[in-house]
Amino acid sequence: MLIRTLAIKKDGTLLLDIPLQQLNDPQIKWYWVDFNAPSMEETSKLTDHFRFHPLAIEDCLHHLQRPKLDYYEGYQFLIIHALKGPHMKLEEVDLFVAENFLVSFHYANLEEIDCIWERIIQHPDLVQKGPVFLTYKLIDKLVDAYFPFAHRTEDQLNEIESKPRGSTTKALIDQIFQIRRDLSKLRRTVVPMSDLLYRVINSERFIQGKDQRVHFQHIYNHLIKLSYVIESSREVTSDIRDNYLSLNSYRMNTIMTTLTVISAIFIPLTFIVGVYGMNFEHMPELKWRYGYFMILGFMTIVGLGMLAWFKRKGWFNQQ
């Protein structure tokens, strides 16, 4: 639970962790307040101190809203998404942006936001460009964190394609479907964020000046690139899945062909054995001295003849 503050005075001085009440000092040019995993008491500051619109506060309290941009009197409200951990847990980050302040609100501790915070402390010149530029840096950092997940799926697909054919089909299909689930999760994050950035770029109320538009266009281009990577990976997973299913089907057909040939050969042999296994009294072949050897020879000729016939028909060429 933490509310941290960062303020920039008109003379360029950087102030850290000052009380919320001092943020209204006329000497403060603009400030950033970060609500990091706030308690309910700390969350109430959104209403009591900042007096943000109840609908915006409601969106903050209801986790995992769709990324969006809303306009309120004196400020804009953005909902963006972050991905956290190896399982790509989706986290929401809410931003209140105005000319003289930036308020960020998130329940999860995010390394990307901490990184921007530390960078500002180490390079105070970054804060001279204002809250909108800082908003760009935050969104850009969060979007950059999407790329390792996309690259991870690409590496997994490359590893699958280079695996020897001894891998079991079931294990491979399970892995493919896990990758597709990860890609779907990533896609559900990237596409709404792309829609949000497209709206931000074309917003005259949010963006003031060509330079700001170029910055947000940079993020939008990254999201478009991610979309291409995701769709390409999804196509690869579909191709690998279909290829292995086809290979598995081919193997099954080969096995069934072999079993069919064996069964077809033994059908007439079984018939012959069945006839001479009836043991009727008046069966002349049963009392013939060479009857047993003649029947074995005949059965051999029948079996070899059927093998030759199947080979001539090309059944063995299908294996």
Side-chain angles (χ1 to χ4, degrees), residues 50-266:
F50 294 101
R51 302 194 182 281
F52 291 134
H53 197 281
L55 291 178
I57 297 175
E58 182 180 350
D59 286 337
C60 293
L61 299 179
H62 289 77
H63 195 48
L64 288 184
Q65 300 288 318
R66 184 178 176 85
K68 66 175 182 177
L69 169 64
D70 287 337
Y71 300 103
Y72 294 98
E73 185 176 355
Y75 61 91
Q76 290 80 39
F77 175 67
L78 293 92
I79 297 178
I80 57 179
H81 284 170
L83 293 174
K84 183 179 180 181
H87 300 294
M88 294 192 294
K89 183 180 179 182
L90 200 62
E91 298 291 348
E92 179 180 319
V93 179
D94 306 298
L95 301 177
F96 299 85
V97 186
E99 292 184 1
N100 63 329
F101 68 79
L102 169 65
V103 177
S104 55
F105 184 96
H106 49 98
Y107 283 111
N109 185 31
L110 299 173
E111 295 180 1
E112 294 80 12
I113 295 181
D114 292 340
C115 179
I116 295 297
W117 189 275
E118 294 299 326
R119 185 178 300 177
I120 289 177
I121 295 175
Q122 296 173 6
H123 305 281
D125 55 300
L126 292 176
V127 299
Q128 302 304 322
K129 297 184 179 181
V132 175
F133 178 78
L134 182 56
T135 301
Y136 151 72
K137 297 297 292 185
L138 284 173
I139 299 177
D140 184 51
K141 192 68 176 179
L142 293 174
V143 169
D144 285 344
Y146 298 169
F147 279 92
F149 298 107
H151 294 157
R152 184 184 69 182
T153 57
E154 286 185 316
D155 293 340
Q156 290 173 334
L157 291 174
N158 291 333
E159 182 181 353
I160 289 174
E161 289 182 323
S162 62
K163 277 184 177 179
R165 292 194 173 186
S167 304
T168 62
T169 302
K170 183 181 184 304
L172 183 135
I173 293 299
D174 289 342
Q175 189 176 1
I176 286 294
F177 276 106
Q178 180 59 51
I179 293 175
R180 286 183 65 86
R181 282 192 291 269
D182 291 342
L183 288 172
S184 296
K185 185 182 295 185
L186 187 58
R187 185 174 183 272
R188 288 195 298 270
T189 302
V190 171
V191 172
M193 285 291 290
S194 299
D195 296 339
L196 170 63
L197 265 296
Y198 181 80
R199 187 179 178 191
V200 168
I201 292 170
N202 292 277
S203 171
E204 298 295 337
R205 295 177 59 181
F206 186 84
I207 294 181
Q208 304 293 329
K210 184 178 180 180
D211 290 341
Q212 293 181 356
R213 181 168 284 102
V214 169
H215 288 145
F216 286 97
Q217 180 70 50
H218 173 74
I219 304 176
Y220 181 71
N221 293 339
H222 281 184
L223 290 168
I224 295 299
K225 179 180 178 181
L226 271 171
S227 298
Y228 287 138
V229 171
I230 293 170
E231 293 305 320
S232 176
S233 297
R234 283 172 61 86
E235 290 179 4
V236 172
T237 58
S238 297
D239 291 341
I240 295 176
R241 179 193 59 190
D242 294 342
N243 289 340
Y244 270 81
L245 289 176
S246 298
L247 179 60
N248 189 49
S249 178
Y250 172 75
R251 289 173 177 171
M252 290 298 298
N253 289 337
T254 302
I255 294 172
M256 292 303 297
T257 300
T258 303
L259 294 177
T260 302
V261 168
I262 295 173
S263 299
I265 292 174
F266 275 90

